[in-house]
Amino acid sequence: MPTHYDLYALEDMSGGDKEFMKTVVAAFLEEIPPDLASMQMAIENDNHKMAYQFAHKMKPNLEMFGIDLIREISAMERWSESKKPTSAIQSQLQTITTMVNDAITEMKRDWKM
């Protein structure tokens, strides 16, 4: 039973089709790690616009897997529209990174990928 992600929305969307679900999980595992790394790099380089693009891109995938980071992603999007320093978003970035990496580890184990 997953603890760092939830399959409710995916099961609903797929009608319980396990092969389809596995394909969506595989796509998540392929796309999210580089997006997360790119968002981290954008923040480190104080590139607000790029950080926004990656945060916004990841949001629907995180929601589909029940990874509750909407507050942190929304904070990231607001930060990207500001002139605040990177230190203002570090706490949210750490939470996002930890939760996403925990979910990725668990998905790989659960789906044997």
Side-chain angles (χ1 to χ4, degrees):
M1 178 113 197
T3 58
H4 295 99
Y5 68 99
D6 184 301
L7 294 173
Y8 179 78
L10 181 58
E11 285 175 337
D12 187 50
M13 181 178 75
S14 71
D17 180 340
K18 296 293 183 194
E19 282 305 309
F20 177 77
M21 291 172 62
K22 188 172 184 175
T23 300
V24 174
V25 169
F28 180 93
L29 293 174
E30 184 177 316
E31 293 174 16
I32 293 298
D35 288 349
L36 180 61
S38 294
M39 185 178 73
Q40 291 171 305
M41 189 180 321
I43 291 167
E44 289 170 14
N45 292 318
D46 203 30
N47 187 333
H48 291 227
K49 183 178 179 180
M50 185 175 284
Y52 174 89
Q53 290 172 341
F54 283 104
H56 190 72
K57 180 181 175 191
M58 290 189 317
K59 188 176 4 179
N61 287 309
L62 299 175
E63 289 173 348
M64 180 174 32
F65 283 97
I67 303 169
D68 188 19
L69 289 168
I70 191 67
R71 257 189 307 248
E72 290 79 5
I73 295 291
S74 294
M76 185 74 62
E77 291 172 333
R78 285 190 308 276
W79 170 83
S80 66
E81 295 170 350
S82 76
K83 299 291 183 197
K84 292 181 180 177
T86 59
S87 60
I89 200 66
Q90 286 301 319
S91 173
Q92 290 86 350
L93 176 62
Q94 183 59 45
T95 300
I96 292 167
T97 301
T98 299
M99 288 182 69
V100 170
N101 284 330
D102 287 348
I104 287 169
T105 299
E106 194 169 292
M107 281 181 200
K108 286 179 178 179
R109 183 197 67 219
D110 295 348
W111 293 87
K112 296 173 183 34
M113 293 184 182

